């Protein structure tokens, strides 16, 4: 049984109140699809952001490394 067949058969067994709820849900799904639309992906923008944040990440990773290294040395000499 296909999903479409399942939905059709299930709809036949619903009360009028349940059919109304299904109709409201379908309207919501259509509204959400229109509102959200298909996401776009700008590769040039992503590349620029990657480059910008890669440098920032590198600087943050290096920050404090001298103190960390000194702490490791002091633990080794204890």
């Amino acid at each position: 049984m296909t999903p479409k067949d399942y939905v059709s058969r299930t709809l036949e067994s619903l009360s009028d109140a349940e059919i109304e709820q299904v109709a409201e849900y379908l309207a919501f799904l259509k509204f959400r699809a229109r509102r959200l639309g298909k996401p776009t992906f700008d590769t040039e923008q992503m590349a620029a952001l990657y480059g910008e944040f890669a440098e920032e990440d590198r600087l943050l990773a290096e920050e404090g490394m001298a103190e960390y290294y000194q702490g490791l040395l002091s633990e080794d000499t204890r």
Side-chain angles (χ1 to χ4, degrees):
M1 177 183 301
T2 68
K4 189 173 183 176
D5 292 335
Y6 171 75
V7 170
S8 294
R9 288 185 185 179
T10 304
L11 286 174
E12 291 172 6
S13 67
L14 296 179
S15 68
D16 288 343
E18 291 170 324
I19 294 286
E20 189 174 323
Q21 289 177 345
V22 170
E24 288 174 9
Y25 182 66
L26 291 173
F28 164 73
L29 290 177
K30 286 183 177 182
F31 168 77
R32 187 178 70 175
R34 282 193 318 264
R35 187 166 184 253
L36 295 178
K38 293 183 179 179
T40 58
F41 186 79
D42 183 355
T43 54
E44 290 181 16
Q45 181 185 18
M46 288 295 143
L49 289 172
Y50 177 80
E52 177 184 334
F53 291 117
E55 177 63 16
E56 184 179 339
D57 288 347
R58 185 188 64 75
L59 292 172
L60 287 172
E62 291 179 3
E63 187 176 305
M65 286 304 290
E67 293 87 7
Y68 177 71
Y69 178 70
Q70 289 301 321
L72 289 176
L73 285 178
S74 68
E75 287 180 11
D76 287 344
T77 57
R78 287 183 190 176

